[in-house]
Amino acid sequence: MPPAAPSTLPRGPCCARHGLEDKRDYTVVEAPFPTMRAMLAEKKVDLIPGVLPFSLDPSCARSPGPIFVQRDAIGETEMIVWAVRKPFIDKNRAAMVDFMEDTLRIVRWYLDPANHKAAAEIAGRRHQAAGRAVRLAVHEQGLLPRPATCCPTSRRCKGTST
Amino acid sequence: MTADLGFVKGKVDLTAHVDLSLVKEAAARIK
């Protein structure tokens, strides 16, 4: 992963808290998320970020296990957000509301337990490398990491609604 | 935390920059 990828953010503060410094005490290696599990299993790396849905792969559970969780390192977060500049919203608000309406409809469809089988099939096709993990997450565990409201759940990010 | 991560020097109040009215307007249409 790139050194500045969001999933790397917890590593820095957590390692620093334990006196570990990048380039002095450890080396960061960039790799695509789908390959990280194998790199850990083959002992090419000692630590990987457990990012959904890859972290749900049963073979990941057989690894030594989590050293720390993101919340412990940097607190409550909203890792992936959509942000738009106000002038763009002011100019295109009607289209943006239409877009969000479509987004809310599809998110609710994906989160509806009645659609989990179809959702898992779609997700598995879209993410072939992680298809098994995605199917497990969506179908068997009923897990999709986003709220049906498409609004942040972190109290730090809730903001205003005016 | 934003300062700890090195992105900005001071503190940032995210709530001052968040406006969810667009999302809530869209949600109201489909209720």
Side-chain angles (χ1 to χ4, degrees):
Chain A
M1 82 199 101
S7 56
T8 68
L9 295 180
R11 185 227 337 126
C14 190
C15 287
R17 214 172 287 157
H18 295 280
L20 299 173
E21 189 178 307
D22 186 10
K23 296 182 179 64
R24 186 192 69 186
D25 304 306
Y26 60 88
T27 302
V28 177
V29 180
E30 296 185 24
F33 287 121
T35 68
M36 290 183 182
R37 178 185 55 77
M39 293 177 73
L40 183 67
E42 295 166 10
K43 302 188 187 305
K44 292 179 178 173
V45 295
D46 296 313
L47 178 70
I48 61 172
V51 178
L52 289 171
F54 310 105
S55 59
L56 295 168
D57 191 306
S59 62
C60 259
R62 289 195 295 273
S63 67
I67 296 174
F68 65 91
V69 297
Q70 179 171 301
R71 184 184 300 272
D72 294 341
I74 58 175
E76 191 179 15
T77 54
E78 295 283 347
M79 292 302 287
I80 299 173
V81 299
W82 288 348
V84 184
R85 291 185 185 280
K86 188 175 183 305
F88 185 88
I89 295 178
D90 291 343
K91 185 180 175 185
N92 304 287
R93 187 175 182 90
M96 292 292 291
V97 173
D98 284 345
F99 170 72
M100 280 311 306
E101 182 182 349
D102 291 344
T103 300
L104 284 162
R105 283 187 195 281
I106 195 63
V107 167
R108 290 177 184 185
W109 185 89
Y110 272 105
L111 294 176
D112 185 340
N115 301 323
H116 277 181
K117 186 177 180 184
E121 289 171 1
I122 293 169
R125 284 200 303 270
R126 288 283 296 165
H127 304 281
Q128 290 182 5
R132 189 166 139 241
V134 169
R135 282 192 292 276
L136 183 73
V138 175
H139 185 46
E140 295 178 21
Q141 298 185 15
L143 173 62
L144 273 180
R146 96 186 306 178
T149 59
C150 289
C151 288
T153 54
S154 165
R155 57 185 154 64
R156 288 180 185 167
C157 303
K158 282 189 174 175
T160 64
S161 59
T162 56
Chain B
M1 179 50 62
T2 47
D4 293 342
L5 295 172
F7 296 125
V8 292
K9 289 182 180 176
K11 291 187 176 182
V12 175
D13 179 9
L14 288 178
T15 59
H17 303 280
V18 176
D19 179 359
L20 301 175
S21 63
L22 192 151
V23 184
K24 291 181 178 178
E25 189 178 331
R29 287 188 185 183
I30 55 178
K31 277 183 179 173

